[in-house]
Amino acid sequence: MAYEPSSHETFTHDSLASLAYDWERVGDPGIEAKWPGKVLLPRGTADVVRAVREARELGEKIVVRGSGHSSNHLVTADGGTLLLTARMNRIVDIDDENLTCTLQPGALLAGVDEALAERGLGLSVVGDHNHITAAGFASVGGISPASHRFGLFLDTVCELEYVDWEGDVHQCSRNEQQERFLRVLAGTGRHGVITGLTVRIIRIDKFRTVLANERFITTDFDDFVERSARLIRDPGDALMERGAWADLPLPVGSLRLGQFSSYHETQQNPLKSLYDRVAYGYQQFLGYWAGRLPRALDEIVKYVGMGAILIPPVFGTAKNIERFTDQILDSTVGDPTRMFIVLAPAGRYETLLRELSALCLRERRASGAVTFVSVYVKAVRSAYLSGPDHGDKDPKHFCELMLYLGVDPQKMTGPVLRALVAGIDAVAVEHQAFRYMHSMTSEDPAVRRKVDPNALYDPEYATDTKEA
């Protein structure tokens, strides 16, 4: 069966209707559309320059959009001008000797990785979603199960071309115009339009090399916190790693289950390859049918899929591990879902995991707006998050805590949602953690300055955030 697993069967990124929405529609299917008044489809840098200068003359603000995965009001333009990077989607160059790949901003990273695989190469950090674009990923950070080794996706970017809001073209890199370079990365489009980027790549056979999953599974939250914390802070020789904890409500009580997977090199043999094909084939089968069945069956498939994530296969190829969750879960099936992501110093992991989980469970008890509570965790070793004074040598250890929450849209009212977001931001600020800015945060510029890692590199952040 030929198909592309997707975490949302009920809508597409490629329709005109999609331009009125961002990822927030997954958490609130009845959200009001925000239709742009003008849509721009540049094919190259010169087109972007003309578009920016024309918009400046007309007093228009351009909003840049890749595939629209933000839920933080970054990629919709209600009545305004939307610039799509969809037609700037080429692989410009692959340098096998220096292990770099130059891309246009709208290149879909899943497709880039497949093209690289034909030459025995691959992206070191790539998202699990098929429709993530190169510039979109660089504009927010970019995380994968290999981020404890290679950092954020933006840590792999070595050169950028972008057009600023004056219409001027800039070439910058880690060595040339470094201040501009670092400010544009994770800048969520505030500083201009990325028109090209060069990323470091690695030699790897993602589609055939099987890794062994040294996993643990537990029903005890304290056990999960303690054991996962050790692996977050010291991944050892793991090539990839990720974990998850879920608290699923039942008619009486709740089902609580956690797992952490560390993927290591293993001797290759046909039986392990067969295991990979059968196990991940079953999960992809679930992903294929999610969103295509009657509602009651769809919800059953979703929860079976969540169970599959919490009991992952013991062998898998690097590619299957990377795109694991997107192959199984359809976020538009069953309870609508919202994501909130915190990036924290690894030393704060246990405290943050406990506090964020408790915050969500309190909201579930108080308002019923939250249904299931799950937290996906990864280790991240990032020079960018370490700050401008740290440099690229010996990056600091961080962790990702992604709250993946089921919600009741009728009970998740505006005030309840804002209070929940404020609570998450407050926990992040207290523990000197960052937020992943494509997931919803406070609109207060003072709070955003504290939680946005890009503020480390942008001395004018407070003023341009007010305009964002």
Side-chain angles (χ1 to χ4, degrees), residues 125 142-152 155 228-236 238-243 260-262 342-346 349 376-382 385 396-402:
V125 178
I143 303 170
S144 88
S147 286
H148 66 287
R149 299 172 62 209
F150 300 109
L152 302 175
D155 286 307
S228 63
R230 291 196 293 269
L231 293 166
I232 288 286
R233 284 197 287 267
D234 183 11
L239 300 181
M240 294 183 176
E241 66 169 30
R242 65 150 64 85
F260 198 97
S261 294
S262 296
V342 175
L343 299 169
Y349 170 77
Y376 294 83
V377 299
K378 298 186 188 78
V380 180
R381 194 162 178 255
S382 169
L385 295 180
K396 295 181 182 179
H397 292 265
F398 294 83
C399 58
E400 177 202 26
L401 299 100
M402 184 184 83

Side-chain angles (χ1 to χ4, degrees), residues 91-103 116 119 121 158-159 198-203:
I91 299 174
V92 178
D93 178 64
I94 299 173
D95 187 334
D96 297 73
E97 182 177 350
N98 294 308
L99 290 179
T100 61
C101 180
T102 300
L103 307 167
L116 291 172
R119 305 168 72 154
L121 304 168
C158 47
E159 295 179 12
T198 299
V199 299
R200 294 189 294 268
I201 56 178
I202 57 176
R203 299 194 188 281

Side-chain angles (χ1 to χ4, degrees), residues 30-171:
I31 194 170
E32 184 178 352
K34 298 178 181 179
W35 293 102
K38 184 187 295 185
V39 176
L40 307 174
L41 281 166
R43 292 175 178 267
T45 303
D47 291 345
V48 174
V49 169
R50 284 194 295 271
V52 169
R53 291 180 178 175
E54 179 182 284
R56 182 174 174 79
E57 290 175 3
L58 297 174
E60 299 173 349
K61 177 184 175 181
I62 289 178
V63 174
V64 186
R65 181 184 179 104
S67 293
H69 284 101
S70 166
S71 57
N72 209 14
H73 312 299
L74 298 174
V75 294
T76 53
D78 196 8
T81 302
L82 200 61
L83 186 149
L84 307 183
T85 60
R87 294 294 177 266
M88 297 177 67
N89 59 3
R90 293 187 300 107
I91 299 174
V92 178
D93 178 64
I94 299 173
D95 187 334
D96 297 73
E97 182 177 350
N98 294 308
L99 290 179
T100 61
C101 180
T102 300
L103 307 167
Q104 286 190 304
L108 298 178
L109 292 180
V112 172
D113 222 25
E114 289 189 8
L116 291 172
E118 295 176 1
R119 305 168 72 154
L121 304 168
L123 296 167
S124 56
V125 178
V126 62
D128 63 354
H129 196 292
N130 286 328
H131 296 89
I132 292 173
T133 62
F137 220 31
S139 293
V140 296
I143 303 170
S144 88
S147 286
H148 66 287
R149 299 172 62 209
F150 300 109
L152 302 175
F153 176 73
L154 60 76
D155 286 307
T156 74
V157 178
C158 47
E159 295 179 12
L160 279 175
E161 178 188 87
Y162 78 100
V163 178
D164 67 21
W165 295 124
E166 303 291 326
D168 297 325
V169 181
H170 299 275
Q171 306 282 345

